[in-house]
Amino acid sequence: MLNAVDRLIRSINGVAVKISTVLMMGMLAVVTLNVILRYCFGYSITWTEESARFMMVWITFLLFPYAQQRGELVALDFLVSRFRY
């Protein structure tokens, strides 16, 4: 039973990493486009900052369980080790 749950969690984490990769590439493209337009042409697209923020929030929430499973949450590890005897 635990093997099935472990495989399910690994597959969900794999999908989350792939979605987060696509979101990161999208965020990079949107911000780069806005920087080029702003400094080269003097024009700025209004929705780029909001969409980049939206993508960053989704990346954070998608990768939080993956990072927790791998033990890579620095702040959480710091708090847990601080209160151990």
Side-chain angles (χ1 to χ4, degrees):
M1 180 72 175
L2 290 176
N3 286 335
V5 173
D6 189 42
R7 282 195 310 264
L8 177 66
I9 290 173
R10 285 182 189 205
S11 64
I12 290 172
N13 283 339
V15 170
V17 168
K18 290 176 184 173
I19 292 172
S20 296
T21 303
V22 170
L23 286 173
M24 183 69 79
M25 290 187 313
M27 186 172 59
L28 178 67
V30 166
V31 170
T32 302
L33 173 69
N34 195 32
V35 167
I36 290 171
L37 287 176
R38 184 182 308 146
Y39 290 110
C40 293
F41 301 109
Y43 176 74
S44 179
I45 302 174
T46 58
W47 54 265
T48 56
E49 292 180 25
E50 294 172 9
S51 65
R53 187 178 310 128
F54 178 77
M55 287 185 236
M56 186 171 300
V57 167
W58 272 102
I59 289 168
T60 301
F61 285 120
L62 283 171
L63 291 181
F64 183 80
Y66 178 71
Q68 184 179 13
Q69 182 184 22
R70 294 183 54 168
E72 295 181 357
L73 294 175
V74 175
L76 188 62
D77 290 340
F78 173 73
L79 287 174
V80 170
S81 65
R82 182 90 162 149
F83 292 112
R84 284 190 184 154
Y85 292 117

CSV table of all heavy atoms in Angstrom, one decimal, residues 48-69:
chain,number,residue,atom,x,y,z
A,48,THR,N,2.1,42.5,-17.7
A,48,THR,CA,3.2,41.6,-17.6
A,48,THR,C,3.7,41.4,-16.1
A,48,THR,O,4.0,40.3,-15.7
A,48,THR,CB,4.4,42.1,-18.4
A,48,THR,OG1,4.7,43.4,-18.0
A,48,THR,CG2,4.2,42.0,-19.8
A,49,GLU,N,3.6,42.5,-15.3
A,49,GLU,CA,4.0,42.4,-13.9
A,49,GLU,C,3.1,41.5,-13.1
A,49,GLU,O,3.5,40.7,-12.3
A,49,GLU,CB,4.1,43.8,-13.3
A,49,GLU,CG,5.3,44.6,-13.8
A,49,GLU,CD,5.4,45.9,-13.2
A,49,GLU,OE1,4.9,46.1,-12.0
A,49,GLU,OE2,5.9,46.9,-13.8
A,50,GLU,N,1.8,41.7,-13.4
A,50,GLU,CA,0.8,40.9,-12.7
A,50,GLU,C,0.9,39.4,-13.1
A,50,GLU,O,0.7,38.5,-12.2
A,50,GLU,CB,-0.6,41.4,-13.0
A,50,GLU,CG,-0.8,42.8,-12.4
A,50,GLU,CD,-2.1,43.4,-12.8
A,50,GLU,OE1,-2.9,42.7,-13.4
A,50,GLU,OE2,-2.3,44.6,-12.5
A,51,SER,N,1.1,39.1,-14.4
A,51,SER,CA,1.2,37.7,-14.8
A,51,SER,C,2.4,37.1,-14.3
A,51,SER,O,2.4,35.9,-13.9
A,51,SER,CB,1.1,37.6,-16.3
A,51,SER,OG,2.2,38.3,-16.9
A,52,ALA,N,3.5,37.8,-14.2
A,52,ALA,CA,4.8,37.3,-13.6
A,52,ALA,C,4.6,37.0,-12.1
A,52,ALA,O,5.0,35.9,-11.7
A,52,ALA,CB,5.9,38.2,-13.8
A,53,ARG,N,3.9,37.8,-11.4
A,53,ARG,CA,3.6,37.6,-10.0
A,53,ARG,C,2.7,36.4,-9.8
A,53,ARG,O,2.9,35.5,-9.0
A,53,ARG,CB,3.0,38.8,-9.4
A,53,ARG,CG,2.8,38.7,-7.9
A,53,ARG,CD,2.2,40.0,-7.3
A,53,ARG,NE,2.9,41.2,-7.8
A,53,ARG,CZ,2.3,42.2,-8.3
A,53,ARG,NH1,1.0,42.3,-8.5
A,53,ARG,NH2,3.0,43.3,-8.7
A,54,PHE,N,1.7,36.3,-10.7
A,54,PHE,CA,0.8,35.1,-10.6
A,54,PHE,C,1.5,33.8,-10.9
A,54,PHE,O,1.3,32.8,-10.2
A,54,PHE,CB,-0.3,35.4,-11.7
A,54,PHE,CG,-1.3,34.3,-11.8
A,54,PHE,CD1,-2.3,34.1,-10.8
A,54,PHE,CD2,-1.2,33.4,-12.8
A,54,PHE,CE1,-3.2,33.1,-11.0
A,54,PHE,CE2,-2.1,32.3,-13.0
A,54,PHE,CZ,-3.1,32.2,-12.0
A,55,MET,N,2.4,33.8,-11.9
A,55,MET,CA,3.2,32.6,-12.2
A,55,MET,C,4.1,32.2,-11.0
A,55,MET,O,4.3,31.1,-10.7
A,55,MET,CB,4.0,32.8,-13.5
A,55,MET,CG,3.1,32.8,-14.7
A,55,MET,SD,4.1,32.8,-16.2
A,55,MET,CE,3.4,34.2,-17.0
A,56,MET,N,4.7,33.3,-10.4
A,56,MET,CA,5.6,33.0,-9.3
A,56,MET,C,4.9,32.4,-8.1
A,56,MET,O,5.4,31.5,-7.4
A,56,MET,CB,6.4,34.2,-8.9
A,56,MET,CG,7.5,33.9,-7.8
A,56,MET,SD,8.5,35.3,-7.4
A,56,MET,CE,9.3,35.6,-9.0
A,57,VAL,N,3.7,32.9,-7.8
A,57,VAL,CA,2.9,32.3,-6.7
A,57,VAL,C,2.6,30.8,-7.0
A,57,VAL,O,2.7,30.0,-6.1
A,57,VAL,CB,1.7,33.1,-6.5
A,57,VAL,CG1,0.7,32.4,-5.6
A,57,VAL,CG2,2.0,34.5,-5.9
A,58,TRP,N,2.2,30.5,-8.2
A,58,TRP,CA,1.9,29.2,-8.6
A,58,TRP,C,3.1,28.3,-8.5
A,58,TRP,O,3.0,27.1,-8.1
A,58,TRP,CB,1.2,29.1,-10.0
A,58,TRP,CG,-0.3,29.3,-9.8
A,58,TRP,CD1,-1.0,30.4,-10.1
A,58,TRP,CD2,-1.2,28.3,-9.3
A,58,TRP,NE1,-2.3,30.2,-9.8
A,58,TRP,CE2,-2.5,28.9,-9.3
A,58,TRP,CE3,-1.1,27.0,-8.9
A,58,TRP,CZ2,-3.6,28.2,-8.9
A,58,TRP,CZ3,-2.3,26.3,-8.5
A,58,TRP,CH2,-3.5,26.9,-8.5
A,59,ILE,N,4.2,28.7,-9.0
A,59,ILE,CA,5.4,28.0,-8.9
A,59,ILE,C,5.8,27.6,-7.4
A,59,ILE,O,6.1,26.5,-7.1
A,59,ILE,CB,6.6,28.7,-9.5
A,59,ILE,CG1,6.5,28.7,-11.0
A,59,ILE,CG2,8.0,28.1,-9.2
A,59,ILE,CD1,7.4,29.7,-11.7
A,60,THR,N,5.6,28.6,-6.5
A,60,THR,CA,5.9,28.4,-5.1
A,60,THR,C,5.0,27.3,-4.6
A,60,THR,O,5.4,26.4,-3.9
A,60,THR,CB,5.7,29.7,-4.4
A,60,THR,OG1,6.6,30.7,-4.9
A,60,THR,CG2,5.9,29.5,-2.9
A,61,PHE,N,3.7,27.4,-4.8
A,61,PHE,CA,2.7,26.5,-4.3
A,61,PHE,C,2.9,25.1,-4.9
A,61,PHE,O,2.6,24.1,-4.2
A,61,PHE,CB,1.3,27.0,-4.4
A,61,PHE,CG,1.0,28.0,-3.4
A,61,PHE,CD1,0.6,29.3,-3.8
A,61,PHE,CD2,1.1,27.8,-2.0
A,61,PHE,CE1,0.3,30.3,-2.9
A,61,PHE,CE2,0.8,28.8,-1.1
A,61,PHE,CZ,0.4,30.0,-1.5
A,62,LEU,N,3.2,25.0,-6.1
A,62,LEU,CA,3.4,23.7,-6.8
A,62,LEU,C,4.7,23.0,-6.3
A,62,LEU,O,4.7,21.8,-6.1
A,62,LEU,CB,3.5,23.9,-8.3
A,62,LEU,CG,2.2,24.1,-9.0
A,62,LEU,CD1,2.5,24.4,-10.5
A,62,LEU,CD2,1.3,22.9,-8.9
A,63,LEU,N,5.7,23.7,-6.0
A,63,LEU,CA,7.0,23.1,-5.6
A,63,LEU,C,7.2,23.0,-4.1
A,63,LEU,O,8.2,22.3,-3.7
A,63,LEU,CB,8.2,23.9,-6.2
A,63,LEU,CG,8.3,23.8,-7.7
A,63,LEU,CD1,9.5,24.5,-8.2
A,63,LEU,CD2,8.4,22.3,-8.2
A,64,PHE,N,6.3,23.5,-3.3
A,64,PHE,CA,6.5,23.4,-1.9
A,64,PHE,C,6.4,22.0,-1.4
A,64,PHE,O,7.3,21.6,-0.6
A,64,PHE,CB,5.4,24.3,-1.2
A,64,PHE,CG,5.5,24.3,0.3
A,64,PHE,CD1,6.4,25.1,0.9
A,64,PHE,CD2,4.8,23.4,1.1
A,64,PHE,CE1,6.6,25.1,2.3
A,64,PHE,CE2,4.9,23.4,2.5
A,64,PHE,CZ,5.8,24.2,3.1
A,65,PRO,N,5.5,21.1,-1.8
A,65,PRO,CA,5.5,19.7,-1.3
A,65,PRO,C,6.7,19.0,-1.8
A,65,PRO,O,7.3,18.1,-1.1
A,65,PRO,CB,4.2,19.1,-1.9
A,65,PRO,CG,3.4,20.3,-2.3
A,65,PRO,CD,4.3,21.4,-2.6
A,66,TYR,N,7.2,19.3,-3.0
A,66,TYR,CA,8.4,18.6,-3.6
A,66,TYR,C,9.6,19.0,-2.8
A,66,TYR,O,10.4,18.1,-2.4
A,66,TYR,CB,8.6,19.1,-5.0
A,66,TYR,CG,9.8,18.5,-5.7
A,66,TYR,CD1,9.8,17.1,-6.1
A,66,TYR,CD2,10.9,19.3,-6.0
A,66,TYR,CE1,11.0,16.6,-6.7
A,66,TYR,CE2,12.0,18.8,-6.7
A,66,TYR,CZ,12.0,17.5,-7.0
A,66,TYR,OH,13.1,16.9,-7.6
A,67,ALA,N,9.8,20.2,-2.4
A,67,ALA,CA,10.9,20.7,-1.6
A,67,ALA,C,10.8,20.1,-0.2
A,67,ALA,O,11.8,19.8,0.4
A,67,ALA,CB,11.0,22.2,-1.6
A,68,GLN,N,9.6,20.0,0.4
A,68,GLN,CA,9.5,19.5,1.7
A,68,GLN,C,9.8,18.0,1.7
A,68,GLN,O,10.5,17.5,2.7
A,68,GLN,CB,8.1,19.7,2.2
A,68,GLN,CG,7.9,19.2,3.6
A,68,GLN,CD,6.4,19.5,4.1
A,68,GLN,OE1,5.6,19.7,3.3
A,68,GLN,NE2,6.2,19.3,5.4
A,69,GLN,N,9.4,17.3,0.7
A,69,GLN,CA,9.7,15.9,0.6
A,69,GLN,C,11.2,15.6,0.6
A,69,GLN,O,11.8,14.7,1.1
A,69,GLN,CB,9.0,15.2,-0.6
A,69,GLN,CG,9.3,13.7,-0.7
A,69,GLN,CD,8.7,13.2,-1.9
A,69,GLN,OE1,8.4,13.9,-2.9
A,69,GLN,NE2,8.4,11.9,-1.9
